[in-house]
């Protein structure tokens, strides 16, 4: 960015020199010495205009590159935020399922100690374990989606290079 600022400063100084030279041309009487000076100044003006055009193109190229990078980073941030939200939800679901599983196992243990195990307690325990397994699988799937999401750009850039 300092390179762009430096180029803008140089352009400003060159334009000031041109303006001063143009004022001198308007105030001075014309003769053969001054006509060669006017031609030289015009050539300098054209050279400065060409430099200005080149610098403007470079500034625009830098801006376009920065805007492209910024847009890419914004898309990546949005995707990562989405993935993080998904993982957070899956982790919350896993935590709830594990809490239910712990409670069902506690009830089974108490029933076993009292030698009274009700079929509904066994069913609740099995359902809690099944839910915990599903939640764990969903969390793993979310993690795999994250890994695949990071690999897809690498794979597509490799295909483009091949």
């Amino acid at each position: 960015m300092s390179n762009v600022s430096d180029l803008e400063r140089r352009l400003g100084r060159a334009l000031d020199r041109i303006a001063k030279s143009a004022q001198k041309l308007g105030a001075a009487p014309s003769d053969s010495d001054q006509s060669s000076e006017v031609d030289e100044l015009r050539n300098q003006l054209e050279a400065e205009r060409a430099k200005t055009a080149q610098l403007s193109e470079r500034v625009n190229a830098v801006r376009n590159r920065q805007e492209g990078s910024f847009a890419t980073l914004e898309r990546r941030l949005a995707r990562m935020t989405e993935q993080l939200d998904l993982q957070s939800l899956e982790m919350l679901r896993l935590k709830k399922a594990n809490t239910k599983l712990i409670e069902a196992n506690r009830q089974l243990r108490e029933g076993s100690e009292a030698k009274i195990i009700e079929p509904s307690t066994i069913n609740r325990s099995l359902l809690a374990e099944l839910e915990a397994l599903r939640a764990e699988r969903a969390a793993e799937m979310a993690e795999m989606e994250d890994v695949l999401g990071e690999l897809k750009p690498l794979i597509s850039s490799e295909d483009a290079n091949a």
Side-chain angles (χ1 to χ4, degrees):
M1 208 58 171
S2 65
N3 191 19
V4 174
S5 300
D6 186 39
L7 294 174
E8 287 176 348
R9 256 188 266 118
R10 284 179 52 198
L11 273 172
R13 280 187 259 147
L15 290 174
D16 289 342
R17 286 194 311 265
I18 291 169
K20 287 179 185 177
S21 296
Q23 287 176 351
K24 287 180 185 177
L25 282 176
S30 64
D31 59 8
S32 64
D33 289 339
Q34 287 183 343
S35 69
S36 64
E37 188 178 335
V38 167
D39 289 338
E40 183 182 330
L41 288 174
R42 284 186 180 145
N43 290 337
Q44 288 178 358
L45 177 63
E46 287 303 315
E48 289 299 323
R49 284 183 180 161
K51 285 181 184 178
T52 302
Q54 288 175 344
L55 292 175
S56 294
E57 286 179 25
R58 288 174 63 187
V59 167
N60 287 337
V62 167
R63 280 189 187 139
N64 290 338
R65 193 170 53 237
Q66 285 177 341
E67 287 173 1
S69 296
F70 186 70
T72 301
L73 289 174
E74 278 184 328
R75 285 191 302 271
R76 188 172 180 198
L77 176 64
R79 189 181 78 239
M80 291 179 128
T81 302
E82 196 175 288
Q83 290 171 347
L84 182 62
D85 291 343
L86 179 63
Q87 279 188 346
S88 295
L89 288 173
E90 293 302 330
M91 286 299 142
L92 182 62
R93 182 176 170 210
L94 183 60
K95 187 176 179 180
K96 286 180 181 181
N98 283 336
T99 303
K100 286 180 182 179
L101 183 59
I102 289 169
E103 178 61 26
N105 285 337
R106 185 189 59 77
Q107 289 176 356
L108 273 176
R109 192 174 48 252
E110 288 174 356
S112 176
E113 289 171 359
K115 297 187 182 189
I116 304 171
I117 299 178
E118 296 181 20
S120 63
T121 305
I122 294 172
N123 285 342
R124 278 195 307 272
S125 177
L126 290 174
L127 287 175
E129 187 173 353
L130 185 60
E131 187 178 338
L133 289 172
R134 286 181 181 153
E136 185 177 344
R137 183 174 186 281
E140 288 173 353
M141 292 299 291
E143 190 175 338
M144 288 299 293
E145 286 295 321
D146 290 346
V147 170
L148 289 175
E150 291 297 318
L151 289 177
K152 280 181 184 177
L154 296 174
I155 292 170
S156 60
S157 67
E158 235 179 67
D159 288 343
N161 291 337

